């Protein structure tokens, strides 16, 4: 065994809300565990837009019945970061931040996890890695230009600029409205026939009205085909159009990193969804001792699982491990 290999009962990969929920369950049982998180605490939430408001109410974002008090009916990003930070620190959970799990190997009766800093040997592993790492790309010429982003943080840089927002989801609509309100000239390029049905119910009428009055331009049944330094070419039902452009904000969704699943030998469904195989009662994958928690369970269906409905995964995993580790 190398000097840097650490022995653990359980390694949790991913320090988001669901990874933290798992840690709280393991902490109660005094199991020897650690969370490995490649970025900041709740890294995905940290990377959300600064002014983002959640769809869920604060009590539905609570983990382990620890109260989440918000000033508003729907909490915002900063309140969520504060909540999960306090939960993590006040319960003294074991978490290594800015440590990336690079390799996961299933051995006969254990797992080997290699990070960019150390090596771990664990009896069990929980994968709670979320899905915010890898953007769904457009796959068009010019997508690598520095004016193109797949993440949106705030509107100020886009003030007085020609901005194309690609997509019609919650994130696209929020970005389009914020950029327009901060003085950006916004055009939405939307593949479908309308603004997405899952857009927050209090925001949807706002964007529809802004499009109707012409404040925000929208092309439906359309897609970007090429991005150039000062313009973008799109295909529309009326033919190809060349639009003046300073920035492209392509918010076309994200996908899980399947690498660790595949390295460990977890089976994925044979379709575009690539849903990992697991037992819904225990959250154990078809690799014995490897558990899945949170949005990773849905494969490419990243809208299926979220904090509100996957909080329970931590308790299901702990209940199953109770029979094995105690």
């Amino acid at each position: 065994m190398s000097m840097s290999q650490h022995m653990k009962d359980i390694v949790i990969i991913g320090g988001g809300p669901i990874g933290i929920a798992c840690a709280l369950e393991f902490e109660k049982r005094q199991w020897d565990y650690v969370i490995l998180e490649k970025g900041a605490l709740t890294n995905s939430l940290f990377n959300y837009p600064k002014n983002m408001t959640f769809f869920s109410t604060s009590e539905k974002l609570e983990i382990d019945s620890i109260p989440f008090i918000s000033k508003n009916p729907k909490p915002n990003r900063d309140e969520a970061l504060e909540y999960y930070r306090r939960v993590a620190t006040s319960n003294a959970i074991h978490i290594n931040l800015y440590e990336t799990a690079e390799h996961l190997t299933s051995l006969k009766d254990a797992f080997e996890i290699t990070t960019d800093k150390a090596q771990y040997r664990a009896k069990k592993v929980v994968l709670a890695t979320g899905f915010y790492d890898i953007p769904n790309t457009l796959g068009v010429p010019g997508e690598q230009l520095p004016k193109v982003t797949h993440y949106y943080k705030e509107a100020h840089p886009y003030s007085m600029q020609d901005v194309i927002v690609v997509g019609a989801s919650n994130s696209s609509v929020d970005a389009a409205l914020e950029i327009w309100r901060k003085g950006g000239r916004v055009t939405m390029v939307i593949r479908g026939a309308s603004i997405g049905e899952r857009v927050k119910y209090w925001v949807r009428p706002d964007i529809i009205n802004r499009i109707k009055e012409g404040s925000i331009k929208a092309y439906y049944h359309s897609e970007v085909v090429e991005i150039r330094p000062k313009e973008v070419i799109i295909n529309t039902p009326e033919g190809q159009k060349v639009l003046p452009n300073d920035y492209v904000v392509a918010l076309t969704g994200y996908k899980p990193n399947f690498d660790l699943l595949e390295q460990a030998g977890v089976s994925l469904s044979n379709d575009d969804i690539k849903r990992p195989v697991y037992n819904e009662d225990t959250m154990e994958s078809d690799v014995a001792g490897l558990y899945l928690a949170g949005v990773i369970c849905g494969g490419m269906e990243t809208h299926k699982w979220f904090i509100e409905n996957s909080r329970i995964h931590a308790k299901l995993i702990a209940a199953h491990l109770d029979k094995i580790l105690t």
Side-chain angles (χ1 to χ4, degrees):
M1 184 169 67
S2 70
M3 290 293 288
S4 62
Q5 191 173 64
H6 308 284
M7 301 293 290
K8 295 287 173 190
D9 285 337
I10 314 165
V11 167
I12 303 165
I13 303 177
I18 307 306
I20 294 171
C22 291
L24 292 174
E25 293 297 326
F26 302 166
E27 192 72 37
K28 288 176 198 170
R29 293 159 170 84
Q30 298 183 314
W31 290 335
D32 185 19
Y33 74 91
V34 67
I35 298 177
L36 305 175
E37 167 52 59
K38 68 176 176 3
L41 185 72
T42 61
N43 198 55
S44 293
L45 300 191
F46 172 69
N47 284 313
Y48 281 177
K50 286 186 175 177
N51 296 326
M52 197 205 96
T53 299
F54 282 84
F55 197 98
S56 302
T57 56
S58 56
E59 62 267 23
K60 290 182 175 175
L61 298 177
E62 289 174 359
I63 50 178
D64 200 35
S65 303
I66 298 166
F68 181 171
I69 310 302
S70 168
K71 292 179 289 188
N72 310 296
K74 310 277 188 182
N76 60 36
R77 167 189 171 273
D78 282 358
E79 288 175 317
L81 289 178
E82 175 72 11
Y83 171 71
Y84 294 116
R85 190 164 60 238
R86 286 187 175 246
V87 168
T89 54
S90 61
N91 290 282
I93 65 169
H94 305 298
I95 183 165
N96 294 357
L97 299 173
Y98 305 103
E99 182 170 355
T100 304
E102 295 177 336
H103 296 287
L104 173 60
T105 308
S106 175
L107 306 173
K108 187 168 179 248
D109 54 0
F111 295 89
E112 202 166 73
I113 304 99
T114 306
T115 74
D116 56 349
K117 294 181 178 173
Q119 200 172 56
Y120 299 81
R121 178 76 65 97
K123 296 176 190 171
K124 311 292 177 187
V125 168
V126 178
L127 271 183
T129 46
F131 74 104
Y132 208 56
D133 289 347
I134 308 170
N136 293 323
T137 54
L138 301 172
V140 301
E143 191 167 7
Q144 305 311 316
L145 287 170
K147 71 174 192 169
V148 180
T149 182
H150 294 280
Y151 294 90
Y152 168 75
K153 200 72 178 175
E154 59 182 324
H156 179 77
Y158 304 111
S159 179
M160 301 185 287
Q161 302 292 291
D162 289 309
V163 183
I164 284 177
V165 176
V166 183
S169 63
N170 272 301
S171 53
S172 306
V173 167
D174 284 348
L177 286 168
E178 276 191 26
I179 293 167
W180 170 69
R181 291 202 166 94
K182 293 289 190 291
R185 297 180 291 275
V186 179
T187 300
M188 296 185 77
V189 177
I190 298 166
R191 182 175 286 176
S194 64
I195 295 297
E197 291 297 327
R198 286 198 295 269
V199 169
K200 291 173 276 201
Y201 63 84
W202 65 94
V203 176
R204 203 166 184 273
D206 190 2
I207 188 69
I208 289 168
N209 287 331
R210 300 296 74 75
I211 291 168
K212 204 172 187 177
E213 72 187 14
S215 300
I216 293 173
K217 178 84 176 157
Y219 290 96
Y220 297 103
H221 298 295
S222 301
E223 55 188 4
V224 172
V225 291
E226 187 180 348
I227 301 166
R228 296 174 178 170
K230 295 306 289 180
E231 59 196 19
V232 168
I233 301 171
I234 65 170
N235 277 342
T236 78
E238 291 78 44
Q240 213 163 74
K241 295 190 183 298
V242 180
L243 307 178
N245 177 257
D246 298 303
Y247 290 99
V248 175
V249 182
L251 301 176
T252 46
Y254 308 92
K255 55 189 171 190
N257 188 333
F258 293 104
D259 282 357
L260 295 175
L261 286 169
E262 289 170 338
Q263 286 171 21
V266 176
S267 304
L268 305 176
S269 63
N270 283 325
D271 50 23
D272 292 342
I273 295 170
K274 296 175 77 172
R275 186 184 296 106
V277 173
Y278 67 95
N279 181 326
E280 292 182 9
D281 296 325
T282 65
M283 306 310 296
E284 189 175 26
S285 73
D286 63 341
V287 174
L290 177 57
Y291 296 80
L292 308 179
V295 76
I296 190 82
C297 298
M300 292 295 289
E301 286 188 316
T302 52
H303 60 273
K304 185 172 180 181
W305 294 105
F306 35 93
I307 300 167
E308 184 177 315
N309 68 356
S310 58
R311 300 179 292 181
I312 187 65
H313 292 173
K315 291 187 186 299
L316 293 173
I317 292 167
H320 192 244
L321 289 175
D322 271 333
K323 301 166 189 168
I324 302 163
L325 293 180
T326 52

